[in-house]
Amino acid sequence: SLAACQPSGPSGGGAGSGGKRVVGFSQIGADNPWRTAETESIKAEAAKRGIELKFSDAQGQQEAQISAMRSFIAQGVQGIILAPKVETGWEAILKEAKDAKIPVVLVDRGVAVADDSLYATLIASDFVAEGTMAGEWLAKKCGGKAGVIQLEGTTGSAPANDRKKGFEAAMASHPEIKVLASQTGDFKRSDGKNVMEALLKVHGAAITAVYAHNDDMAIGAIQALEAAGRRPGKDVVVVSIDGMGFAFDAIVEGKLNATVECNPLLGEMAFAALEQVLKGEALPKLLVQKDRLFDESNAAAERPNRKY
Amino acid sequence: MSGILQLHGIEKRFGDFAALRGVSLELRAGEIHALMGENGAGKSTLIKVITGVHAATAGTMELEGRAIRPGSPREAERAGISTVYQEVNLLPNLSLAENITMGRQAMWGPFIRHGEGRRRARAALARLGVEVDVARPLGACPVAVQQMAAIARALEQRARVLILDEPTSSLDAREVAELFGVLRRLRDEGMGILFVSHFLDQIYALSDRITVLRDGGYVGTWEAAALPRLELVSHMIGKPVAAAEACAAKEEASAGPRRGAVVEVAELERKGVAGPFSFALEAGGATGLAGLLGSGRTEVARMLFGIDPATSGSVRVDGRVVSLTSPRAAMAAGFAFCSEDRKVEGILPSLSVRENIVLALQASRGALRRLPRAEQEALADTFIKALHIKTRGPETPMGALSGGNQQKCLLARWMAVQPRLLILDEPTRGIDIGAKGEIEALCAELRRGGLAILFISAELEEVVRNCSRVVVLRDRQQAEVLEGGAISLRQIMETVAAA
Amino acid sequence: MNRFRTPLLWPLAALVALLVFNALASPGFFDVEWKDGRLYGTVVDICNQGARVPMLLALGMTLVIATGGVDLSVGSLMAVSGAVAAVQVNAGASLGQAVGLALLLCSGLGLVNGVLIAKVRLQPIIATLVMMVAGRGLAMLLTGSQMVPFKHEGLTFLANGAVGGLPVPIPLVLGVALLAGVALRGSAWGLFIEATGDNETASRLAGLPTGGVRLLVYAFSGLCAGMSGLLEASNIAAADPARMGDTRELDAIFAVVAGGTALTGGRFSLAGSLVGALLLQTLTLTLYNQNVPPAVAPVPKALVILVVCLLHSPKLREQWGRWRSPSPA
Amino acid sequence: MNRLFSSRLLPLLATALVLLVLFGAAGAHYEHFFSARVVLNLFKDRAFLGVIAIGMTFVILSGGIDLSVGSVMACSTVLLASLIMERGWPVPLAMAATLVLGAAFGGAQGWIIHRYGIPAFLVTLAGMFLARGTAFILSSRSLEIRHAFYAKNSAWGLPLGEGLTFTLGPMVFVSVLAVAMVVAHGTRFGRNVYAIGGSESSAALMGLPVGGTRIAVYALCGGGAALGGILSTLALGSGDPTRGMGLELDAIAAAVIGGTVLTGGRGWMVGTFLGVLILGTIKTILDFEGSLDPAWLRLASGGLLLGFILMQKVIAIRSRET
Ligand SMILES: Nc1ncnc2c1ncn2[C@@H]1O[C@H](COP(=O)(O)OP(=O)(O)OP(=O)(O)O)[C@@H](O)[C@H]1O
Ligand SMILES: Nc1ncnc2c1ncn2[C@@H]1O[C@H](COP(=O)(O)OP(=O)(O)OP(=O)(O)O)[C@@H](O)[C@H]1O
Ligand SMILES: [Mg+2]
Ligand SMILES: [Mg+2]
C-alpha cells in the first residue's frame, strides 16, 4: 500500500523543500565538547550559506551513521558530510551514495576504501601526527628524561589508537623517557582525575610528565596533581591534544604546558569543498588540517582567537 | 499383590533439620495407598524424594525390583512415576491443552500437532467430567479447573505408579466422585496409587491401606478396613484415643451470639462477571457461600475485598455505605480476606513466618507506626502456639513450611488484624483435622467478640456445620438464601441443581 | 542475626581477597599519610571514589531491586543533577539552592519512573530505559550540550573538601546509608519493600500500599543518583552532561547483587551493597595499579563478577557439600 | 473461541496498528518518506539487530536476559575479520567457526546460569565484559575485510528495480524470523522455552528438560549474536571491536515493544519483528527530521518510545473493554 515513490536521488537542484539546497551531516555523537564544536561549526556554516542541513547524531554507533546516510539518500539530499566513526566499513554505503550521485565529503578522519572516487574529499586531522608532535614536544621539554603517565582515550576509538601510536613512535627515540603507566580515562575529565589520583599513589615522585589524549583528561589530571600537592605545569609537565579554549586558559595559568590543536571548525572548508564538487570542479582527495602546537610561548596570543 | 515401589529407610535433612527419619513404605500394584499425617509430618517431602525433586540424605528405593535414584522429576516420569504435586504446579501462561500434553505432545516429524493435543486434552478432562475450553490459558481458570488439569495431566501418562498429593483440596463433591471413579478403575488395571488427603471420609472411601507419618518418622501401615477412624487420628497426633476424641469433638463449633447485621450487601454486581448479590452478614454469625465450581463464590469475595471492585450495588457497614475500591479500602472498612490461592495471593515465600503473620496488621497501622519487634514476636508466638504451626521458629522462611502450615500462617495473618468481617475462601484447604478443629474454635471465639464471617468452602458439610446462613450461587448469580433450620446438605444440593 | 551475616560474608570475603592480593602485589597499598589536614592514600581513594558513585547509586538501587525492579536511568540522572547544579551556581544561586534544586529534580524524575511503573504498569526496564535516554537529553538541554565548568567554593567542597580528615563523600554516604537504614528498619517501610518484592499480589491483598512503595523507592533512587551527580560534578568542578554517569547503572546493579540482594526482589541488605560497591572500586583501582592494559581490563572485571556470584550461589554450596560428604549410594 | 484468540493476540495487533499509524503520519509529514527505498532501508539497516533480537526474544521468553549480545557481536566481527585476513581461513569456514564459537559462548553462559543458579543478568553482564575484552585483545582497531567472497556477496541480492536490491542481510533476517516462528510455536523445544519462562519450578516438576532447554536458548542467542556479527561484516566489510555498544538494550526494547513480557513465558517472534521495525521507524523519522540538536534528539527518542508503548497499552486495554 505504499505510494509509488518518485525516483530518489538528486533531481537537479530542485529536490528538497522548495528548491532549497539540502545537505546531510552524519555526526558520530555529541559526547564531548570538541565534537559539539565541530557540529556547531557545520550548522553555522550551513545557516550562513542558506543551506538546509539534515543533521543526524549517531550516538556513537557506526550502524546508526550508515542508516542515517541511507535516510539522506532516500531524501534526495545534494551532498553528505560524514564524520566517520572508524576507518573501515564504509564501502557499501559510499557506493550507494555514489550510485545516487550524491557527493560525500569526509571530515576529521579518513576511511579505508579501495576506490577513492567513492568520496569527494577528506578534510582531516592526522591523529598519529598529533601524537607524535605532542611526544616530541614533551621529550624536548623534559630534556629527554622523564616518567610519563599516558591517559588514553576511549578504548578502541580511532583517536585513542592513533594518538597512542604517534606518541609511542616519538618515544622510541628517547630511551630515557619511561611510560610508567598507560590507562584509559575514556576522554572524560572525571576519569582522568580518578586514574591520576590512583597512579599518583603508586608512582609518586617518579611521575614527571603527563600525556593526555585530550584536554579534558589533562584538566582532570591537573586537578588530581594539585590535590596531591604537586605543581602541574611546573614540576610535572602536562601535554594534551585538542586545543580547546579551556586548555588555553590552563596554559595561560601555567598549569598545562602544551596542547596540540585538532581543529574542529571544519564547517567552512567542508561546505566550500561541497560547492566545488557540485559545480563539477576537481578537488584534491585530501585536505590536511595543519595542526599547530600551543605552549606558553604562543597560547596567550592565540587565546582571543579561539571560538570553542 | 506385589510391591511395585519400595522405600527403605528414607531420610531427608534440610540443613540440620530432619524432615524424614527412616521412612519405609511398600506400594503394591493394584492398590490405593493413603499417606496420612498432620501438617508438616513429611508427606510432601516423601513424595518429592520419590520423584527426584529432593535427593534423599539416606535410604534406598526400588521400582519393580530395580533400585532407582531419580535425580529429577523427569527421570522419575521416565521410570514410570506420575505425580500431582500439592500446589498446582503447572504453567499459567500456557493453555490447558498444552499444560496437559506438555513434554508428551503428539508429533509430526519435529513439529507438534496442536490439534491432536487439544483433542487429547479434551478427552483427558472429559474423563474427569470437566468440560472447558482447553485453549484457555491455565492462569485464567479457577483453581479447581487448574487442579483438574494437573490430575488430567498425570492420568494422561500411562504410568506404573501414580502419586497424588492433596488433589481434592479445592474440588467439590461431584468432581471428587468423578476422580475417585477414575482412580478405582486405574487401580483395577494394576496401577499403584499413593494418595494424600486430609479428608478422612475420602481416605476411607478410597484407600486399601493407610500409612501414617508423624514428625518425619514412620508410624505404621494398616489395612484401611481394620483401622478405626479414632485410632487413625490417634496415630497421627501421637496421643491416645481419648485425646483424639477430644480433637474430633472440637469440630463442633459453637456459634457466637447474634448481634444484628453489620454488613449489608445490596445488589452487588460486577458487570459481565458475577452478580447481583444481596445478603447480610451479622456480627457473631457465619454466612456461607455454596455453589458448584465456577459458580462465582470467589468472585463475590473478590468484589467485597475490592480486588475486582463491583461495578454497581452497595455495601453498608453499620448502616454506612463503604467504598470497596481496593484491598486497602476494604481493610479500612474492617474487612479481611484469606484467598484460596495461597501460592500466588497468600504467602511471601522468602520472608519469615513472623513477618508473614504481622504483615496485614502492620499494613493497617501504616508504615510509620511500626509494630515493635517484641510485639511482633509475641504475636507470632501466640499464633504459632494457638494454631499449632509447625515451624522451626518464627524466623524460618515461609517457603520452607509445609502447605498446611502455610495456610495456618495466612489465617493467623488475618486473625491478627481483628477485622469486623473475615472472608475465608477455602480456609481449610490442606489442613489436618486437628488443626481444623483449632481453627474453627478460634473463629468461634472471634465471633463471640462480634466478628462476622463469610465462609466459602467446596466441602458442603463444612458449610452446613459452620454457617447460620447460606447463600447459594448458581451461574454466578445469587440463587437463594437459606437460614437456620433450612440449612441442610440436601436443601443446598437441590438449590444448586435446580434448573 | 541470620539476615545480617549471610549476605555480607561473601562480598567481604572477595573484598578481603582482593585487598590481600594488592598488599602482596603492590607494597604501599595500605600506606596512609596525613597531608594538609586530611588522610591520603590508596585506601582513602577507594573509599572516596567508591562513595561518590557506586556506593551512592547502589543505595538507591538496592531498594529498587528489592521491590523486584531495576533502574537504568541513574547514570543519566547523575548528569541531570550535575547540570542543574552547575548552571545554577553559574547563574549566581547559592549552594543550598543549587543542591536543593538538583536533588528535587532528580527525585522528581525518579518519581516519574515510579509512576510509569506503579501506575501505568510499564516494565521497569522499559520505563527506566526511556528515562535513561530522555534524562540524558534533559541534561544536555540544560547545558546547551556543553561542558559547564564552575568556580564555586561551596560546590567544589562537596567532593574535594574533608571532614575530620576524611574526604566529604565518605561521611556523606555513610550518613545517607545510616539514615536510610534507620528509616527503613525503624519504620515498616523496609518490610513493605521486601514484601512487595517477594510477592506483589499477595502484598497488595494484605493491604500494603505496593504502589506507594514503588513510588518511594524510585524517587529515592533518583535522589541518590542526584547526590552522586553533585559529587561527580563537584569533583571536577564541571558538569559533563553527555558523559557523566554513562553505564554506571551497571556498576550499581552489580554492587547490589554482589551484596546479597537478589535480582528477583525480596530481602535486601544496604550494608552488603556498600561492600559490593567497595569491591568494584577496589577492583578498578587494582587494575590501574597493576597497569593492566585498558583493552584487557574488562576480562578481570568479568572474572570477579563471576566469582562473586558463584560465592553467593546456594547451588554451588550445595554441590560442594554433596561432594565433600558423599551420601551412601 | 474466535474472540479469545483475538484477545490473546491483541497486544500484537495493537503494535502493528501503531506502527502503521506512525509510518503513515511520518509519510504524510516528510517528503520521500513513503518510498520503497525507506522501507527497504528499514530492513537493510536493522537486519543484524533483527537477528540478534530474535535470539534475545527466545532468552526473554525463557525468563532470562542476555546483556552480552552487543559484545559477542562485536567480538565475532573482529574474530571473523582476523581469521579471514590475518590467518587466511576460507570465508565459509571462518563464518562457521564464528557461529560455533558464538553459540558455545552463549551455551557456556546458559550452563553457568543453570548449574549455579546465578541470575542471568549477572552472568551475561560478565559475558559482556569478557566478550568486549576479547574483541579488544584480538584487535584494538577496526579491521577491514578485503576478500573476493565479500566483494561478491555483500551487494548480491534480489533486484527490486529502481536500483534497489533485497540483499543478503534482510534475506537472512526474514528467514531467521520464519524459522524462529515455527520453532517457537511448533516444536517441543519452543514450547519448553515458554514453559520455563512461565514457571521454572513447575516446568521441572512436569518433567521438562529445563537445563538442556536453558543452555540451548542461550546458545541460540549467542549464535544469533554471532550471526548478527557476520551480517554486519557483510554489510560493512569490516570488523570492529567497538561495534554494537548498547545494542543489547535495543534488542531488549525491540522484544518488549513487540509484546514479549520480561518476566518470561509470554510473547511472539512476529512481535519482535514489529519491534525492530518500530525502532527503525523512530530512528528514520528522527533522521528525516534532521534539525534536532543532540539534546532534543534524545528527548524525542525517549518521548517517541514512551508514547508508542503508552499508545499500544491504551489500544490493548480499550479493545479489551469493548
Ligand atoms: N525446602 C525446605 N526447606 C526446609 N524445610 C522444609 C522444606 N520443605 C519442607 N520442609 C520442612 O519439612 C517438614 C515436612 O514438610 P512437608 O511439606 O513434607 O509436610 P506435609 O506432611 O506435606 O504437610 P502438609 O499436610 O501441611 O502439606 C516441614 O516441617 C517443613 O517445614
Ligand atoms: N482472575 C480471574 N481472571 C479471569 N477470570 C476469572 C478470574 N477469577 C475468576 N474468574 C472467572 O470467574 C468465574 C467464577 O469463578 P470463581 O473462582 O469465582 O468461582 P468459585 O465458585 O469460587 O469456584 P472455585 O471453586 O474455583 O473457587 C470463573 O469462570 C472464573 O474463570
Ligand atoms: Mg504437603
Ligand atoms: Mg473459588
Side-chain angles (χ1 to χ4, degrees):
Chain A
S1 68
L2 288 175
C5 59
Q6 303 154 338
S8 38
S11 38
S17 20
K20 210 177 168 193
R21 280 178 174 274
V22 184
V23 168
F25 172 37
S26 168
Q27 175 62 290
I28 302 171
D31 63 351
N32 66 57
W34 187 91
R35 218 151 262 300
T36 309
E38 184 181 55
T39 303
E40 288 308 318
S41 138
I42 285 174
K43 278 189 175 169
E45 187 66 23
K48 207 170 93 189
R49 292 172 184 251
I51 290 173
E52 183 182 343
L53 187 73
K54 292 285 177 191
F55 168 69
S56 164
D57 166 7
Q59 308 192 22
Q61 294 182 335
Q62 185 184 13
E63 306 88 336
Q65 286 198 287
I66 288 174
S67 75
M69 286 180 69
R70 290 224 164 92
S71 295
F72 295 154
I73 296 172
Q75 289 177 78
V77 297
Q78 273 84 52
I80 293 176
I81 301 173
L82 167 67
K85 174 172 183 269
V86 289
E87 281 198 326
T88 59
W90 302 99
E91 197 116 31
I93 183 68
L94 288 177
K95 197 153 172 313
E96 276 182 47
K98 191 183 171 190
D99 291 346
K101 304 198 177 53
I102 301 173
V104 177
V105 170
L106 304 175
V107 291
D108 81 60
R109 36 183 110 157
V111 298
V113 285
D115 170 12
D116 72 0
S117 74
L118 288 179
Y119 60 91
T121 185
L122 158 67
I123 302 166
S125 308
D126 185 343
F127 296 142
V128 180
E130 290 166 2
T132 312
M133 199 189 288
E136 292 298 350
W137 190 91
L138 188 143
K140 206 167 89 213
K141 174 82 178 174
C142 300
K145 196 167 165 355
V148 187
I149 300 289
Q150 177 174 212
L151 295 173
E152 300 177 18
T154 304
T155 311
S157 69
N161 285 336
D162 291 350
R163 286 169 184 174
K164 183 173 181 182
K165 194 165 139 198
F167 181 76
E168 283 167 2
M171 289 306 106
S173 51
H174 300 282
E176 288 200 54
I177 297 186
K178 289 242 158 3
V179 178
L180 298 171
S182 184
Q183 282 295 330
T184 177
D186 211 15
F187 282 137
K188 290 182 198 163
R189 197 173 286 197
S190 58
D191 287 28
K193 187 174 180 188
N194 286 353
V195 172
M196 202 62 212
E197 235 169 47
L199 294 178
L200 273 166
K201 311 294 183 309
V202 182
H203 302 285
I207 300 174
T208 60
V210 174
Y211 163 55
H213 287 184
N214 77 350
D215 290 337
D216 265 320
M217 293 190 291
I219 298 295
I222 288 171
Q223 291 173 341
L225 286 164
E226 284 180 327
R230 307 289 296 271
R231 290 182 309 156
K234 315 264 172 341
D235 43 286
V236 180
V237 175
V238 186
V239 183
S240 66
I241 298 179
D242 270 1
M244 304 294 296
F246 59 82
F248 279 79
D249 293 340
I251 296 179
V252 173
E253 281 176 56
K255 293 178 175 176
L256 181 68
N257 294 87
T259 182
V260 177
E261 177 190 47
C262 178
N263 192 354
L265 304 183
L266 304 174
E268 199 182 330
M269 282 177 85
F271 279 101
L274 209 52
E275 294 275 315
Q276 278 182 295
V277 189
L278 287 174
K279 279 197 213 122
E281 293 170 28
L283 270 183
K285 279 292 156 190
L286 179 62
L287 302 169
V288 178
Q289 286 265 77
K290 198 75 193 95
D291 291 330
R292 290 173 296 168
L293 185 143
F294 295 94
D295 56 16
E296 63 249 25
S297 67
N298 56 357
E302 174 69 12
R303 178 67 185 102
N305 304 331
R306 304 313 286 182
K307 299 204 195 76
Y308 56 97
Chain B
M1 275 193 256
S2 59
I4 184 169
L5 177 70
Q6 263 161 337
L7 311 180
H8 305 288
I10 298 289
E11 196 179 297
K12 174 67 197 170
R13 305 185 147 271
F14 292 108
D16 51 7
F17 171 78
L20 293 175
R21 296 174 285 127
V23 175
S24 299
L25 188 146
E26 183 205 40
L27 178 69
R28 294 176 189 154
E31 78 162 346
I32 296 178
H33 195 126
L35 191 57
M36 299 290 293
E38 284 183 301
N39 293 136
K43 305 178 294 289
S44 299
T45 306
L46 183 65
I47 287 169
K48 286 184 174 170
V49 167
I50 297 175
T51 61
V53 177
H54 295 316
T57 324
T60 57
M61 286 188 275
E62 278 169 38
L63 185 70
E64 295 181 311
R66 277 181 301 120
I68 56 163
R69 199 183 167 79
S72 69
R74 188 174 165 70
E75 286 175 32
E77 237 188 76
R78 289 245 172 96
I81 302 174
S82 182
T83 315
V84 179
Y85 294 94
Q86 181 167 12
E87 306 293 334
V88 176
N89 281 294
L90 294 181
L91 306 161
N93 56 323
L94 297 186
S95 70
L96 284 172
E98 284 207 88
N99 269 291
I100 290 169
T101 58
M102 201 74 202
R104 304 191 287 266
Q105 296 99 334
M107 303 299 283
W108 180 76
F111 305 112
I112 294 173
R113 293 165 58 198
H114 284 292
E116 171 68 10
R118 280 194 291 274
R119 204 190 53 70
R120 262 170 52 189
R122 226 174 282 127
L125 282 170
R127 201 140 76 110
L128 292 167
V130 180
E131 299 266 337
V132 282
D133 174 9
V134 293
R136 221 172 146 187
L138 179 98
C141 296
V143 180
V145 171
Q146 297 188 17
Q147 202 163 49
M148 283 309 227
I151 296 167
R153 176 182 166 78
L155 294 182
E156 234 261 326
Q157 184 192 15
R158 294 259 129 211
R160 303 286 300 121
V161 172
L162 178 63
I163 301 176
L164 302 122
D165 193 354
E166 293 192 37
T168 56
S169 55
S170 38
L171 303 185
D172 55 26
R174 191 175 62 87
E175 289 142 1
V176 170
E178 298 270 4
L179 173 64
F180 283 7
V182 175
L183 292 184
R184 287 196 190 95
R185 260 200 319 282
L186 290 173
R187 168 186 60 190
D188 297 341
E189 288 166 17
M191 195 186 259
I193 298 174
L194 193 62
F195 182 85
V196 178
S197 171
H198 287 293
F199 299 108
L200 291 187
D201 291 339
Q202 294 181 4
I203 293 294
Y204 278 99
L206 192 65
S207 54
D208 304 307
R209 293 197 301 161
I210 298 174
T211 292
V212 174
L213 299 185
R214 188 170 63 237
D215 289 336
Y218 174 76
V219 178
T221 303
W222 295 269
E223 292 289 333
L227 184 67
R229 288 189 182 212
L230 273 183
E231 206 172 305
L232 171 60
V233 174
S234 99
H235 284 309
M236 282 166 60
I237 62 176
K239 296 206 180 91
V241 175
E245 263 171 341
C247 197
K250 270 195 201 138
E251 287 194 26
E252 306 297 324
S254 54
R258 301 289 199 79
R259 292 190 190 155
V262 258
V263 182
E264 292 155 283
V265 178
E267 296 293 320
L268 200 65
E269 177 173 11
R270 185 170 166 80
K271 259 222 144 46
V273 179
F277 298 96
S278 304
F279 53 85
L281 298 150
E282 279 127 13
T287 303
L289 289 185
L292 289 179
L293 162 72
S295 58
R297 295 164 299 186
T298 299
E299 272 311 318
V300 177
R302 291 173 72 91
M303 273 194 275
L304 281 176
F305 200 59
I307 304 166
D308 301 323
T311 49
S312 63
S314 68
V315 176
R316 282 163 198 277
V317 177
D318 292 336
R320 262 197 314 270
V321 174
V322 289
S323 126
L324 302 173
T325 47
S326 71
R328 284 175 68 70
M331 281 172 71
F335 293 8
F337 169 59
C338 193
S339 164
E340 66 178 336
D341 192 346
R342 78 171 156 247
K343 195 165 143 194
V344 174
E345 298 185 338
I347 62 165
L348 309 171
S350 62
L351 297 197
S352 68
V353 169
R354 167 181 58 85
E355 284 164 315
N356 269 281
I357 290 177
V358 303
L359 195 67
L361 180 58
Q362 181 65 64
S364 65
R365 287 167 63 105
L368 296 182
R369 289 173 53 227
R370 176 171 174 270
L371 272 174
R373 179 71 183 237
E375 267 180 52
Q376 295 187 22
E377 275 162 10
L379 204 65
D381 272 343
T382 313
F383 281 107
I384 288 173
K385 289 216 183 71
L387 299 180
H388 296 293
I389 295 172
K390 193 170 281 179
T391 165
R392 257 157 284 165
E395 299 308 315
T396 308
M398 188 75 156
L401 260 58
S402 78
N405 284 306
Q406 289 176 351
Q407 184 69 23
K408 292 184 198 169
C409 288
L410 295 183
L411 284 169
R413 174 191 293 172
W414 291 111
M415 289 178 175
V417 300
Q418 302 182 327
R420 307 285 313 274
L421 168 65
L422 179 57
I423 306 167
L424 299 172
D425 195 357
E426 311 284 1
T428 54
R429 254 190 89 184
I431 284 193
D432 64 40
I433 49 160
K436 255 181 214 173
E438 305 284 349
I439 287 169
E440 284 174 9
L442 260 166
C443 284
E445 197 181 309
L446 291 172
R447 278 156 61 185
R448 274 193 291 282
L451 173 99
I453 288 182
L454 184 64
F455 193 91
I456 305 175
S457 172
E459 207 189 341
L460 286 183
E461 292 87 341
E462 207 171 56
V463 176
V464 171
R465 194 165 64 231
N466 282 298
C467 299
S468 46
R469 167 180 299 142
V470 175
V471 180
V472 183
L473 308 191
R474 192 168 58 225
D475 294 338
R476 308 197 205 161
Q477 281 174 7
Q478 183 166 339
E480 206 173 324
V481 180
L482 306 174
E483 300 220 32
I487 302 174
S488 72
L489 219 57
R490 234 188 95 196
Q491 186 57 45
I492 296 177
M493 303 264 240
E494 273 171 15
T495 319
V496 166
Chain C
M1 208 60 235
N2 203 356
R3 160 191 319 169
F4 205 70
R5 223 182 52 212
T6 344
L8 266 179
L9 186 64
W10 296 113
L12 266 182
L15 181 61
V16 168
L18 204 55
L19 290 175
V20 167
F21 166 80
N22 270 298
L24 298 177
S26 51
F29 185 85
F30 286 102
D31 288 359
V32 175
E33 317 170 44
W34 186 263
K35 215 167 174 176
D36 308 333
R38 64 194 296 177
L39 290 170
Y40 184 84
T42 301
V43 192
V44 184
D45 281 353
I46 291 177
C47 295
N48 186 22
Q49 296 184 8
R52 276 204 308 266
V53 188
M55 284 169 126
L56 264 176
L57 294 187
L59 284 180
M61 191 70 82
T62 306
L63 302 189
V64 168
I65 289 182
T67 63
V70 73
D71 187 352
L72 298 182
S73 70
V74 288
S76 293
L77 294 190
M78 280 175 67
V80 171
S81 156
V84 170
V87 169
Q88 285 290 310
V89 294
N90 281 350
S94 73
L95 178 66
Q97 277 172 329
V99 168
L101 203 66
L103 296 184
L104 203 68
L105 183 58
C106 287
S107 333
L109 292 177
L111 202 64
V112 171
N113 279 334
V115 170
L116 290 179
I117 291 160
K119 305 291 173 205
V120 187
R121 304 209 71 83
L122 298 188
Q123 301 178 45
I125 287 198
I126 289 300
T128 57
L129 180 68
V130 166
M131 184 58 80
M132 168 176 155
V133 176
R136 184 67 62 187
L138 180 61
M140 290 166 72
L141 194 67
L142 288 167
T143 57
S145 301
Q146 299 290 345
M147 190 120 161
V148 184
F150 53 82
K151 291 205 161 53
H152 186 278
E153 265 184 32
L155 195 50
T156 24
F157 178 81
L158 285 183
N160 295 296
V163 173
L166 285 175
V168 183
I170 300 177
L172 185 79
V173 78
L174 290 181
V176 173
L178 210 67
L179 219 65
V182 168
L184 291 172
R185 298 299 181 195
S187 75
W189 281 115
L191 174 66
F192 285 10
I193 288 170
E194 292 180 336
T196 304
D198 202 20
N199 183 346
E200 202 206 333
T201 314
S203 301
R204 194 163 40 83
L205 294 197
L208 296 197
T210 50
V213 166
R214 280 168 187 254
L215 292 182
L216 182 86
V217 297
Y218 285 95
F220 180 68
S221 178
L223 179 71
C224 289
M227 285 192 266
S228 174
L230 283 175
L231 293 183
E232 273 292 271
S234 158
N235 183 41
I236 54 169
D240 187 352
R243 291 174 294 182
M244 183 194 283
D246 196 24
T247 70
R248 296 315 281 271
E249 61 279 352
L250 293 180
D251 291 357
I253 295 171
F254 168 68
V256 170
V257 182
T261 301
L263 268 176
T264 43
R267 291 261 184 247
F268 67 85
S269 158
L270 288 176
S273 298
L274 293 185
V275 174
L278 269 185
L279 173 68
L280 197 69
Q281 195 62 41
T282 309
L283 176 68
T284 309
L285 259 70
T286 306
L287 295 177
Y288 293 158
N289 286 356
Q290 300 303 321
N291 205 17
V292 176
V296 180
V299 177
K301 208 168 165 184
L303 295 182
V304 167
I305 294 178
L306 267 186
V307 168
V308 172
C309 294
L310 280 175
L311 286 175
H312 267 302
S313 157
K315 274 200 184 169
L316 178 75
R317 251 170 280 156
E318 203 178 286
Q319 279 155 21
W320 254 70
R322 219 180 293 160
W323 175 66
R324 279 191 354 206
S325 58
S327 55
Chain D
M1 181 69 209
N2 204 12
R3 193 177 51 90
L4 201 94
F5 183 70
S6 65
S7 82
R8 278 178 74 188
L9 288 182
L10 214 82
L12 205 55
L13 295 177
T15 311
L17 190 68
V18 181
L19 171 62
L20 286 181
V21 169
L22 200 64
F23 208 88
H29 195 263
Y30 300 107
E31 214 177 330
H32 305 304
F33 196 95
F34 239 2
S35 68
R37 185 185 278 274
V38 169
V39 177
L40 184 68
N41 287 351
L42 227 44
F43 281 82
K44 259 190 187 167
D45 293 334
R46 319 280 152 198
F48 69 95
L49 172 63
V51 170
I52 291 172
I54 286 170
M56 181 71 84
T57 308
F58 272 109
V59 168
I60 295 180
L61 282 176
S62 80
I65 200 151
D66 188 348
L67 299 183
S68 72
V69 289
S71 299
V72 170
M73 177 224 177
C75 190
S76 46
T77 66
V78 184
L79 178 69
L80 190 59
S82 71
L83 284 180
I84 294 173
M85 300 307 289
E86 287 167 10
R87 306 267 149 120
W89 285 33
V91 174
L93 184 65
M95 285 184 173
T98 305
L99 267 183
V100 168
L101 277 177
F105 185 84
Q109 294 187 109
W111 180 78
I112 295 175
I113 291 167
H114 178 71
R115 174 75 204 256
Y116 298 110
I118 306 176
F121 194 97
L122 293 169
V123 174
T124 59
L125 180 65
M128 166 174 145
F129 287 124
L130 200 64
R132 188 66 70 185
T134 313
F136 281 135
I137 294 170
L138 282 171
S139 167
S140 63
R141 55 184 63 231
S142 75
L143 292 173
E144 201 187 351
I145 305 177
R146 206 167 278 293
H147 193 280
F149 182 94
Y150 270 75
K152 201 169 92 221
N153 287 305
S154 59
W156 180 84
L158 290 178
L160 299 178
E162 292 173 24
L164 303 178
T165 30
F166 198 68
T167 47
L168 211 52
M171 267 187 229
V172 173
F173 172 30
V174 174
S175 4
V176 166
L177 172 72
V179 172
M181 282 166 64
V182 172
V183 168
H185 184 73
T187 66
R188 277 203 183 159
F189 168 74
R191 301 323 289 169
N192 289 348
V193 172
Y194 279 86
I196 297 177
S199 164
E200 185 188 338
S201 57
S202 294
L205 290 180
M206 287 165 84
L208 303 177
V210 174
T213 305
R214 166 155 304 143
I215 293 170
V217 160
Y218 284 91
L220 204 82
C221 189
L227 182 58
I230 292 174
L231 291 183
S232 107
T233 61
L234 270 172
L236 303 183
S238 74
D240 174 8
T242 63
R243 200 171 287 164
M245 297 245 186
L247 189 72
E248 56 283 348
L249 290 180
D250 281 346
I252 294 169
V256 172
I257 290 173
T260 300
V261 183
L262 276 171
T263 42
R266 283 166 227 265
W268 305 269
M269 291 297 154
V270 197
T272 301
F273 170 72
L274 292 175
V276 170
L277 292 189
I278 285 158
L279 286 182
T281 306
I282 291 180
K283 283 233 166 81
T284 310
I285 291 176
L286 294 171
D287 281 342
F288 265 74
E289 179 53 41
S291 59
L292 293 176
D293 71 31
W296 282 108
L297 174 86
R298 282 163 179 78
L299 280 170
S301 35
L304 272 175
L305 191 58
L306 181 65
F308 179 86
I309 292 173
L310 290 183
M311 222 152 53
Q312 189 191 23
K313 250 192 138 69
V314 169
I315 291 183
I317 292 171
R318 272 282 162 72
S319 26
R320 196 173 307 149
E321 274 169 3
T322 52

